[in-house]
Amino acid sequence: MEITPGLGTDLAKIGDRRSQVEERIGPPHHGPGGRRAVYTTSPMLVITYAADETVELVEIRYSGEGADTEVHFDGVQLTHRFLDDVVADLHALGYTSTPSDIGHDFHAGFSVWSMHSLWAGDLDPEAAEDDERAVSETVSVAPYAYFTEG
């Protein structure tokens, strides 16, 4: 799934009404009518809605089902890779970011991050048990200010 920084994906964009999103992908699997809704797409979408029922944040989780079903931007696979490698690839393309406590917030309007639910051995069968490399698990898309104002 390809992201558009600051906007979202083809399935859900910042500012879309909940009804528009659900016309495209169906009702949520979890959280119908709530502020956060989980949709059973591949990869899985988690949408945060504002009080006026418009999309304010689009999160896309890793699928683990192969590169074709992961999140991409500008030729870079963003999920199910080592976080440091993702950040290095994006920086090499000229995208700038600020570190956060769980990943990197990119000025273009997205964040890549890890809650450490995956470990290095999920990507590298030769990783030692104490390998602390973070795996990029989720991409959040919103204007940069969403990640830094708070």
Side-chain angles (χ1 to χ4, degrees), residues 10-27 39 47 49 52-55:
D10 287 342
L11 298 176
K13 291 181 176 56
I14 304 302
D16 282 353
R17 300 206 55 76
R18 182 189 298 263
S19 59
Q20 293 172 297
V21 172
E22 293 183 2
E23 281 177 24
R24 285 185 210 114
I25 59 180
Y39 296 90
I47 308 295
Y49 292 98
D52 67 356
E53 294 285 298
T54 59
V55 174

Side-chain angles (χ1 to χ4, degrees), residues 31-69:
R35 180 161 158 73
R36 293 190 69 191
V38 179
Y39 296 90
T40 54
T41 56
S42 185
M44 181 175 32
L45 289 174
V46 178
I47 308 295
T48 301
Y49 292 98
D52 67 356
E53 294 285 298
T54 59
V55 174
E56 72 176 13
L57 178 69
V58 177
E59 293 179 310
I60 311 106
R61 305 284 167 93
Y62 78 93
S63 75
E65 298 171 7
D68 291 345
T69 61

Side-chain angles (χ1 to χ4, degrees), residues 17-147:
R17 300 206 55 76
R18 182 189 298 263
S19 59
Q20 293 172 297
V21 172
E22 293 183 2
E23 281 177 24
R24 285 185 210 114
I25 59 180
H29 171 72
H30 179 71
R35 180 161 158 73
R36 293 190 69 191
V38 179
Y39 296 90
T40 54
T41 56
S42 185
M44 181 175 32
L45 289 174
V46 178
I47 308 295
T48 301
Y49 292 98
D52 67 356
E53 294 285 298
T54 59
V55 174
E56 72 176 13
L57 178 69
V58 177
E59 293 179 310
I60 311 106
R61 305 284 167 93
Y62 78 93
S63 75
E65 298 171 7
D68 291 345
T69 61
E70 297 300 336
V71 183
H72 293 85
F73 170 62
D74 201 5
V76 176
Q77 181 178 320
L78 303 178
T79 53
H80 211 250
R81 292 182 59 213
F82 289 115
L83 186 60
D84 288 345
D85 293 344
V86 171
V87 171
D89 287 351
L90 291 166
H91 285 174
L93 290 172
Y95 297 101
T96 58
S97 68
T98 54
S100 71
D101 57 344
I102 58 173
H104 277 259
D105 302 327
F106 282 83
H107 296 100
F110 65 98
S111 179
V112 292
W113 50 277
S114 175
M115 293 302 291
H116 297 279
S117 60
L118 296 176
W119 73 287
D122 291 317
L123 299 183
D124 178 1
E126 296 186 20
E129 286 189 36
D130 61 349
D131 190 323
E132 295 183 8
R133 290 178 291 175
V135 176
S136 179
E137 300 165 1
T138 305
V139 175
S140 297
V141 184
Y144 177 73
Y146 182 91
F147 304 112

